[in-house]
Amino acid sequence: EYLTAGQVGYIFMNMKNAGESRVGDTFYKENTEVEAIAGFKPAKQMIYSGIYPEDPNEYGELERAIQKLALTDPAVSISRESSAALGNGFRCGFLGLLHMDVFKQRLDDEYNISAILTLPNVAYRCKLRTGEIKEIENALYAPDPADVAYYEEPIAEATLIIPKDCYADMTNVCVERRGEQIDLRVLDGQKYMLKYHF
């Protein structure tokens, strides 16, 4: 009925797609009431990029490689998309730029697939004049500007720990990136801790 520390269990499921199950899911016997384990939240993708094969004939290989990588990286979201310039490909969501770079590097190293990544962008939320709220991951699918009441963009809170002599340069970089300083502390006389909203 349960596993304790050090024990290993396994289950058999009739699933065709590994994406149907997520880390943190609560399993239970059919027709049994059970309270889901609290505290689990699915990963939220912050940036989106298109992935296309350099050679259109490698589309099937790219699809298989992406699906296999997604088995070990459940934080990636994958959907099919098509581009007039690049042909058939995939729209993938990542946790950040580093996550995207690692995914691309794994495609190269583990599957020997050369892929083209489009410029990453973030998802925006827009409220239509009708009151409906939509999330826009690609500007191509944005609604008519006359129908939009306003847009919202994601905001991140970043904590930066930097040497004292880099303070001026770092604050300039943050201001150039539309950062708003919300906290500044001196840690040990030689380091600063900055908090910014971006």
Side-chain angles (χ1 to χ4, degrees), residues 81-117:
E81 84 171 355
S82 182
S83 162
L86 299 170
N88 292 324
F90 301 91
R91 183 123 185 109
C92 297
F94 302 98
L95 300 177
L97 291 173
L98 178 62
H99 186 211
M100 182 184 75
D101 287 341
V102 168
F103 193 86
K104 166 76 165 76
Q105 193 63 44
R106 289 186 67 193
L107 276 175
D108 291 343
D109 294 347
E110 296 176 25
Y111 297 97
N112 198 25
I113 292 180
S114 297
I116 299 169
L117 268 69

Short mmCIF file of all heavy atoms in Angstrom, two decimals, residues 81-117:
data_model
loop_
_atom_site.label_atom_id
_atom_site.label_comp_id
_atom_site.label_asym_id
_atom_site.label_seq_id
_atom_site.Cartn_x
_atom_site.Cartn_y
_atom_site.Cartn_z
N GLU A 81 4.74 23.35 -35.10
CA GLU A 81 4.46 24.61 -35.78
C GLU A 81 5.08 24.59 -37.17
O GLU A 81 5.94 23.75 -37.46
CB GLU A 81 4.93 25.81 -34.96
CG GLU A 81 6.37 26.19 -35.09
CD GLU A 81 6.69 27.52 -34.42
OE1 GLU A 81 5.80 28.21 -33.92
OE2 GLU A 81 7.88 27.86 -34.40
N SER A 82 4.63 25.48 -37.99
CA SER A 82 5.11 25.55 -39.36
C SER A 82 5.49 26.98 -39.69
O SER A 82 4.85 27.92 -39.23
CB SER A 82 4.02 25.05 -40.30
OG SER A 82 4.48 25.07 -41.63
N SER A 83 6.56 27.14 -40.47
CA SER A 83 7.03 28.46 -40.87
C SER A 83 7.16 28.49 -42.38
O SER A 83 7.61 27.52 -42.99
CB SER A 83 8.38 28.74 -40.21
OG SER A 83 9.05 29.80 -40.85
N ALA A 84 6.78 29.61 -42.99
CA ALA A 84 6.90 29.74 -44.44
C ALA A 84 8.35 29.66 -44.87
O ALA A 84 8.68 29.13 -45.93
CB ALA A 84 6.28 31.06 -44.89
N ALA A 85 9.26 30.18 -44.05
CA ALA A 85 10.69 30.20 -44.41
C ALA A 85 11.42 28.91 -44.02
O ALA A 85 12.31 28.46 -44.73
CB ALA A 85 11.37 31.39 -43.74
N LEU A 86 11.05 28.31 -42.87
CA LEU A 86 11.82 27.18 -42.34
C LEU A 86 11.12 25.83 -42.47
O LEU A 86 11.72 24.80 -42.20
CB LEU A 86 12.16 27.44 -40.86
CG LEU A 86 13.01 28.69 -40.61
CD1 LEU A 86 13.09 28.99 -39.12
CD2 LEU A 86 14.41 28.51 -41.19
N GLY A 87 9.86 25.82 -42.86
CA GLY A 87 9.14 24.56 -43.03
C GLY A 87 8.52 24.09 -41.72
O GLY A 87 8.16 24.87 -40.85
N ASN A 88 8.41 22.76 -41.57
CA ASN A 88 7.82 22.17 -40.37
C ASN A 88 8.84 22.10 -39.25
O ASN A 88 10.00 21.78 -39.48
CB ASN A 88 7.27 20.77 -40.67
CG ASN A 88 6.09 20.82 -41.60
OD1 ASN A 88 5.29 21.74 -41.53
ND2 ASN A 88 5.99 19.84 -42.49
N GLY A 89 8.36 22.38 -38.03
CA GLY A 89 9.24 22.33 -36.88
C GLY A 89 8.43 22.24 -35.60
O GLY A 89 7.28 21.80 -35.62
N PHE A 90 9.03 22.69 -34.51
CA PHE A 90 8.40 22.58 -33.19
C PHE A 90 8.57 23.89 -32.43
O PHE A 90 9.58 24.56 -32.55
CB PHE A 90 9.03 21.43 -32.39
CG PHE A 90 8.90 20.12 -33.08
CD1 PHE A 90 9.89 19.68 -33.94
CD2 PHE A 90 7.77 19.35 -32.90
CE1 PHE A 90 9.76 18.47 -34.60
CE2 PHE A 90 7.64 18.14 -33.56
CZ PHE A 90 8.64 17.70 -34.41
N ARG A 91 7.56 24.23 -31.67
CA ARG A 91 7.63 25.38 -30.77
C ARG A 91 7.86 24.81 -29.38
O ARG A 91 7.03 24.06 -28.87
CB ARG A 91 6.33 26.17 -30.82
CG ARG A 91 6.38 27.40 -29.98
CD ARG A 91 6.08 28.60 -30.85
NE ARG A 91 6.22 29.83 -30.12
CZ ARG A 91 7.20 30.68 -30.34
NH1 ARG A 91 8.12 30.42 -31.24
NH2 ARG A 91 7.27 31.80 -29.68
N CYS A 92 8.98 25.16 -28.78
CA CYS A 92 9.33 24.60 -27.47
C CYS A 92 9.43 25.71 -26.42
O CYS A 92 9.94 26.79 -26.70
CB CYS A 92 10.67 23.87 -27.56
SG CYS A 92 10.63 22.46 -28.67
N GLY A 93 8.92 25.40 -25.24
CA GLY A 93 9.01 26.32 -24.11
C GLY A 93 10.09 25.85 -23.15
O GLY A 93 10.21 24.65 -22.88
N PHE A 94 10.88 26.80 -22.64
CA PHE A 94 12.00 26.48 -21.74
C PHE A 94 11.91 27.34 -20.49
O PHE A 94 11.26 28.38 -20.48
CB PHE A 94 13.33 26.74 -22.44
CG PHE A 94 13.52 25.95 -23.71
CD1 PHE A 94 13.26 26.52 -24.94
CD2 PHE A 94 13.93 24.63 -23.67
CE1 PHE A 94 13.43 25.81 -26.12
CE2 PHE A 94 14.09 23.89 -24.83
CZ PHE A 94 13.84 24.49 -26.06
N LEU A 95 12.64 26.92 -19.45
CA LEU A 95 12.67 27.68 -18.20
C LEU A 95 13.47 28.97 -18.34
O LEU A 95 13.22 29.93 -17.63
CB LEU A 95 13.26 26.83 -17.07
CG LEU A 95 12.51 25.54 -16.77
CD1 LEU A 95 13.22 24.75 -15.68
CD2 LEU A 95 11.07 25.84 -16.36
N GLY A 96 14.43 28.99 -19.25
CA GLY A 96 15.26 30.17 -19.47
C GLY A 96 16.24 29.92 -20.60
O GLY A 96 16.21 28.87 -21.25
N LEU A 97 17.11 30.90 -20.85
CA LEU A 97 18.06 30.80 -21.96
C LEU A 97 19.06 29.66 -21.76
O LEU A 97 19.41 28.96 -22.70
CB LEU A 97 18.80 32.12 -22.14
CG LEU A 97 17.95 33.28 -22.66
CD1 LEU A 97 18.75 34.58 -22.64
CD2 LEU A 97 17.46 32.99 -24.07
N LEU A 98 19.53 29.48 -20.52
CA LEU A 98 20.48 28.39 -20.25
C LEU A 98 19.83 27.04 -20.52
O LEU A 98 20.43 26.16 -21.14
CB LEU A 98 20.99 28.47 -18.82
CG LEU A 98 21.95 27.36 -18.40
CD1 LEU A 98 23.22 27.40 -19.25
CD2 LEU A 98 22.31 27.47 -16.93
N HIS A 99 18.60 26.87 -20.09
CA HIS A 99 17.87 25.63 -20.32
C HIS A 99 17.75 25.36 -21.82
O HIS A 99 17.95 24.24 -22.30
CB HIS A 99 16.48 25.75 -19.67
CG HIS A 99 15.67 24.50 -19.71
ND1 HIS A 99 14.31 24.52 -19.78
CD2 HIS A 99 16.03 23.19 -19.72
CE1 HIS A 99 13.85 23.28 -19.81
NE2 HIS A 99 14.87 22.46 -19.78
N MET A 100 17.44 26.41 -22.60
CA MET A 100 17.32 26.28 -24.05
C MET A 100 18.67 25.88 -24.67
O MET A 100 18.73 25.00 -25.53
CB MET A 100 16.84 27.59 -24.66
CG MET A 100 16.63 27.54 -26.16
SD MET A 100 16.18 29.13 -26.85
CE MET A 100 17.76 29.95 -26.81
N ASP A 101 19.75 26.51 -24.23
CA ASP A 101 21.08 26.19 -24.77
C ASP A 101 21.47 24.75 -24.47
O ASP A 101 22.04 24.06 -25.32
CB ASP A 101 22.13 27.15 -24.20
CG ASP A 101 22.02 28.55 -24.78
OD1 ASP A 101 21.39 28.70 -25.85
OD2 ASP A 101 22.56 29.48 -24.17
N VAL A 102 21.18 24.29 -23.26
CA VAL A 102 21.51 22.91 -22.88
C VAL A 102 20.70 21.93 -23.73
O VAL A 102 21.23 20.92 -24.22
CB VAL A 102 21.26 22.67 -21.37
CG1 VAL A 102 21.31 21.19 -21.03
CG2 VAL A 102 22.26 23.45 -20.54
N PHE A 103 19.43 22.22 -23.95
CA PHE A 103 18.57 21.36 -24.79
C PHE A 103 19.13 21.27 -26.20
O PHE A 103 19.24 20.19 -26.78
CB PHE A 103 17.15 21.92 -24.79
CG PHE A 103 16.13 20.97 -25.34
CD1 PHE A 103 15.53 20.02 -24.54
CD2 PHE A 103 15.75 21.04 -26.68
CE1 PHE A 103 14.58 19.15 -25.04
CE2 PHE A 103 14.81 20.17 -27.20
CZ PHE A 103 14.22 19.22 -26.38
N LYS A 104 19.51 22.41 -26.77
CA LYS A 104 20.08 22.45 -28.13
C LYS A 104 21.39 21.67 -28.18
O LYS A 104 21.64 20.91 -29.11
CB LYS A 104 20.30 23.91 -28.54
CG LYS A 104 21.18 24.13 -29.75
CD LYS A 104 20.47 23.83 -31.05
CE LYS A 104 21.16 24.35 -32.27
NZ LYS A 104 22.30 23.66 -32.73
N GLN A 105 22.23 21.84 -27.15
CA GLN A 105 23.51 21.13 -27.11
C GLN A 105 23.30 19.62 -27.03
O GLN A 105 24.01 18.84 -27.66
CB GLN A 105 24.34 21.62 -25.92
CG GLN A 105 25.79 21.20 -25.96
CD GLN A 105 26.52 21.78 -27.16
OE1 GLN A 105 26.38 22.95 -27.48
NE2 GLN A 105 27.30 20.96 -27.84
N ARG A 106 22.28 19.20 -26.26
CA ARG A 106 21.98 17.76 -26.16
C ARG A 106 21.51 17.20 -27.50
O ARG A 106 21.82 16.07 -27.84
CB ARG A 106 20.95 17.51 -25.07
CG ARG A 106 21.50 17.70 -23.66
CD ARG A 106 20.50 17.31 -22.61
NE ARG A 106 20.25 15.87 -22.66
CZ ARG A 106 19.23 15.28 -22.03
NH1 ARG A 106 18.37 15.99 -21.34
NH2 ARG A 106 19.07 13.98 -22.11
N LEU A 107 20.74 18.00 -28.25
CA LEU A 107 20.32 17.56 -29.59
C LEU A 107 21.55 17.30 -30.46
O LEU A 107 21.63 16.30 -31.17
CB LEU A 107 19.45 18.61 -30.27
CG LEU A 107 17.97 18.62 -29.96
CD1 LEU A 107 17.30 19.82 -30.63
CD2 LEU A 107 17.31 17.34 -30.41
N ASP A 108 22.53 18.22 -30.39
CA ASP A 108 23.76 18.08 -31.18
C ASP A 108 24.58 16.89 -30.73
O ASP A 108 25.00 16.06 -31.53
CB ASP A 108 24.62 19.35 -31.07
CG ASP A 108 23.98 20.55 -31.78
OD1 ASP A 108 23.07 20.34 -32.59
OD2 ASP A 108 24.41 21.68 -31.50
N ASP A 109 24.82 16.81 -29.41
CA ASP A 109 25.75 15.80 -28.88
C ASP A 109 25.17 14.39 -28.86
O ASP A 109 25.84 13.44 -29.25
CB ASP A 109 26.17 16.17 -27.45
CG ASP A 109 26.99 17.45 -27.40
OD1 ASP A 109 27.44 17.92 -28.47
OD2 ASP A 109 27.16 18.01 -26.30
N GLU A 110 23.94 14.24 -28.40
CA GLU A 110 23.37 12.91 -28.19
C GLU A 110 22.72 12.33 -29.44
O GLU A 110 22.65 11.12 -29.60
CB GLU A 110 22.36 12.95 -27.05
CG GLU A 110 23.00 13.31 -25.71
CD GLU A 110 21.97 13.45 -24.59
OE1 GLU A 110 20.89 12.83 -24.69
OE2 GLU A 110 22.26 14.18 -23.63
N TYR A 111 22.21 13.20 -30.33
CA TYR A 111 21.48 12.70 -31.49
C TYR A 111 22.07 13.15 -32.82
O TYR A 111 21.56 12.81 -33.87
CB TYR A 111 20.00 13.12 -31.40
CG TYR A 111 19.33 12.51 -30.20
CD1 TYR A 111 19.21 13.24 -29.02
CD2 TYR A 111 18.86 11.21 -30.23
CE1 TYR A 111 18.61 12.67 -27.90
CE2 TYR A 111 18.27 10.64 -29.12
CZ TYR A 111 18.15 11.38 -27.96
OH TYR A 111 17.57 10.81 -26.85
N ASN A 112 23.14 13.94 -32.76
CA ASN A 112 23.85 14.40 -33.95
C ASN A 112 22.90 15.06 -34.96
O ASN A 112 22.95 14.80 -36.15
CB ASN A 112 24.60 13.23 -34.61
CG ASN A 112 25.68 13.72 -35.55
OD1 ASN A 112 26.18 14.83 -35.40
ND2 ASN A 112 26.04 12.90 -36.52
N ILE A 113 22.01 15.90 -34.43
CA ILE A 113 21.04 16.59 -35.27
C ILE A 113 21.35 18.08 -35.26
O ILE A 113 21.46 18.70 -34.21
CB ILE A 113 19.60 16.35 -34.77
CG1 ILE A 113 19.24 14.89 -35.01
CG2 ILE A 113 18.61 17.27 -35.46
CD1 ILE A 113 17.87 14.51 -34.57
N SER A 114 21.51 18.64 -36.45
CA SER A 114 21.73 20.08 -36.58
C SER A 114 20.37 20.74 -36.71
O SER A 114 19.63 20.48 -37.65
CB SER A 114 22.58 20.38 -37.81
OG SER A 114 23.85 19.80 -37.67
N ALA A 115 20.07 21.59 -35.75
CA ALA A 115 18.77 22.25 -35.73
C ALA A 115 18.95 23.76 -35.71
O ALA A 115 19.96 24.28 -35.24
CB ALA A 115 17.97 21.80 -34.51
N ILE A 116 17.96 24.46 -36.25
CA ILE A 116 17.93 25.92 -36.23
C ILE A 116 16.95 26.34 -35.14
O ILE A 116 15.81 25.89 -35.11
CB ILE A 116 17.45 26.46 -37.59
CG1 ILE A 116 18.40 26.03 -38.70
CG2 ILE A 116 17.31 27.98 -37.56
CD1 ILE A 116 17.86 26.28 -40.10
N LEU A 117 17.41 27.21 -34.24
CA LEU A 117 16.54 27.76 -33.20
C LEU A 117 16.20 29.20 -33.56
O LEU A 117 17.08 29.97 -33.91
CB LEU A 117 17.23 27.73 -31.83
CG LEU A 117 16.96 26.49 -30.98
CD1 LEU A 117 17.63 25.28 -31.58
CD2 LEU A 117 17.43 26.71 -29.57
#
